[in-house]
Amino acid sequence: MSDMQAIVDRFEIEALRAECTDAVMMRDYDRVASLFTAEGTMRWPHIGKEFAGREEIRAGVAWGQGLWEFFVQHVHPGVIRLDTDGDTATGRAYIQEFGRMRDGSSHLNHALYHDRYQRTPDGWKFSERVYEVRYTDASPLAGSPPPQARDTPSTSPSARAVSARHLSTSTHRAKEQLS
């Protein structure tokens, strides 16, 4: 694998991770599921949940997000390790989440995603994503979202189109530089 291909692969994997966070924050569960391979898995060991395949991942993320009154996730870049075969990789992303559940409890988490990635004809996808909570704080949150932001998923067709167009354009530019 060339140095330039390794740079492009890392860029595309980082874009995949960002796309997943955006899809979850926008409550676009179809888009979340599309970021996994057909056999992909999402595991949340801290609550004993595992979802295998795109349909289960979609349903699991929708279920999880349905528990929140509001939810904010910040992802901080982590490590990406490209395997020597050139078509698989592993990585970690560092997460901070906070929000309030519909039952009124508050949560602040610091966690990691342990990821496995697979190159597919449609680009890099998650083959596995495991969420590991490292710290949690259930102290009541003092603030709240503005009234207009509650229960208003931003998953309009135009919002999804902007996101898909941005990812496609970024990937196309990176591939042109390889040529």
Side-chain angles (χ1 to χ4, degrees), residues 90-169:
T90 58
R92 282 187 299 276
Y94 301 91
I95 311 297
Q96 179 187 22
E97 297 176 329
F98 69 91
R100 187 169 28 253
M101 305 299 273
R102 294 194 187 279
D103 69 4
S105 63
S106 297
H107 293 274
L108 168 68
N109 295 332
H110 293 274
L112 298 120
Y113 274 120
H114 299 274
D115 295 331
R116 293 187 179 280
Y117 314 102
Q118 175 72 48
R119 185 191 312 274
T120 74
D122 296 322
W124 286 96
K125 304 280 184 186
F126 295 103
S127 59
E128 179 182 58
R129 192 149 231 223
V130 179
Y131 187 72
E132 177 192 354
V133 176
R134 291 282 183 101
Y135 172 84
T136 187
D137 180 351
S139 301
L141 296 175
S144 65
Q148 70 274 15
R150 292 188 182 136
D151 298 319
T152 311
S154 300
T155 57
S156 68
S158 61
R160 284 193 305 270
V162 167
S163 179
R165 187 171 51 250
H166 174 73
L167 181 61
S168 175
T169 301

Side-chain angles (χ1 to χ4, degrees), residues 6-102:
I7 291 168
V8 170
D9 288 344
R10 289 174 190 280
F11 176 83
E12 290 178 354
I13 290 169
E14 196 61 54
L16 172 70
R17 297 191 306 196
E19 189 74 19
C20 190
T21 296
D22 185 68
V24 170
M25 290 288 298
M26 296 298 107
R27 298 180 181 218
D28 187 346
Y29 310 127
D30 290 331
R31 185 163 45 122
V32 173
S34 76
L35 301 174
F36 284 79
T37 62
E39 310 80 28
T41 57
M42 167 96 67
R43 292 185 175 93
W44 299 336
H46 66 292
I47 58 170
K49 297 288 185 182
E50 180 175 325
F51 312 104
R54 289 182 179 143
E55 288 304 313
E56 281 189 23
I57 290 168
R58 187 208 181 287
V61 173
W63 168 80
Q65 287 298 300
L67 299 174
W68 295 93
E69 175 190 347
F70 71 92
F71 171 83
V72 177
Q73 182 183 74
H74 298 278
V75 178
H76 306 277
V79 64
I80 296 170
R81 291 191 175 100
L82 301 170
D83 294 337
T84 56
D85 69 5
D87 290 329
T88 58
T90 58
R92 282 187 299 276
Y94 301 91
I95 311 297
Q96 179 187 22
E97 297 176 329
F98 69 91
R100 187 169 28 253
M101 305 299 273
R102 294 194 187 279

